[in-house]
Amino acid sequence: DVKVTQSSRYLVKRTGEKVFLECVQDMDHENMFWYRQDPGLGLRLIYFSYDVKMKEKGDIPEGYSVSREKKERFSLILESASTNQTSMYLCASSPRTGGGNQPQHFGDGTRLSIL
Amino acid sequence: SQQGEEDPQALSIQEGENATMNCSYKTSINNLQWYRQNSGRGLVHLILIRSNEREKHSGRLRVTLDTSKKSSSLLITASRAADTASYFCATTRGFSGGYNKLIFGAGTRLAVHP
């Protein structure tokens, strides 16, 4: 069965810290995504990557960066964490084949609190 | 920016009843997908309907798409307590380079009571 694994379910960090969220998929998917989910706002795309070392900004990239050194791993980095980045972060992946008609597979999320 | 908007925001029904959730969107789409999210978990893909399809079934799920009205509905028949979850519609915003960018609505919270 397909699996997207996020390194932490819950994470508490302090304002100003550099925070790393890790995501690994075992499906050999080309595309990987990072979303944040806030009540009433649904999921908003932060960054996505369609190949190793490739990345594109989503709708809300400010304050975040990403890294994709290997196909299976996609990292989200909060350069200097702020309280407004407290949220649920979801990682997803999808294959490139089939164009835009492939579902995305999600991890269980990381609930991040910035104090 | 949000593309899909679900209606209602919350729905409470008894086991055995049908649940209908609606989704409206603003611009043209390639396809529309429905996802489910159990509390505190990630999203699980339920069904995808292409822009040239009008109806699709999967088990107890029935999805319709009306591109003239820019709307879709998800019907869950004979609901069970285990169907309690949030349901999201997502539209594919264009397509380029071999990847699909989804735009999600805020979701409908469904509670099914035994």
Side-chain angles (χ1 to χ4, degrees), chain A residues 42-57:
Chain A
L43 277 74
R44 292 178 292 168
L45 182 64
I46 305 172
Y47 267 99
F48 66 99
S49 168
Y50 52 90
D51 204 347
V52 175
K53 297 192 186 296
M54 305 304 289
K55 60 185 179 183
E56 284 205 21
K57 294 179 180 179

Side-chain angles (χ1 to χ4, degrees), chain B:
Chain B
S1 60
Q2 284 183 231
Q3 165 84 309
E5 293 185 9
E6 289 90 344
D7 170 56
Q9 291 186 342
L11 184 59
S12 181
I13 60 174
Q14 298 295 126
E15 258 189 335
E17 293 180 343
N18 295 342
T20 299
M21 289 159 270
N22 302 298
C23 170
S24 60
Y25 57 91
K26 295 173 184 164
T27 62
S28 62
I29 60 171
N30 292 342
N31 64 64
L32 187 143
Q33 304 180 29
W34 284 92
Y35 288 79
R36 164 198 169 122
Q37 183 180 35
N38 287 1
S39 180
R41 305 298 297 269
L43 277 71
V44 175
H45 180 259
L46 295 176
I47 198 164
L48 180 152
I49 187 164
R50 298 172 191 245
S51 58
N52 60 355
E53 297 176 311
R54 292 296 167 258
E55 188 170 313
K56 205 160 182 181
H57 296 255
S58 177
R60 293 184 296 113
L61 305 181
R62 173 177 167 252
V63 169
T64 61
L65 179 64
D66 187 336
T67 53
S68 67
K69 295 181 179 178
K70 292 186 170 59
S71 68
S72 172
S73 67
L74 170 66
L75 168 68
I76 304 174
T77 59
S79 63
R80 307 165 182 168
D83 293 328
T84 295
S86 292
Y87 292 82
F88 296 87
C89 69
T91 55
T92 302
R93 177 179 25 171
F95 162 65
S96 61
Y99 46 88
N100 54 333
K101 291 168 61 175
L102 295 180
I103 305 176
F104 289 85
T108 292
R109 295 187 311 278
L110 173 65
V112 182
H113 303 283

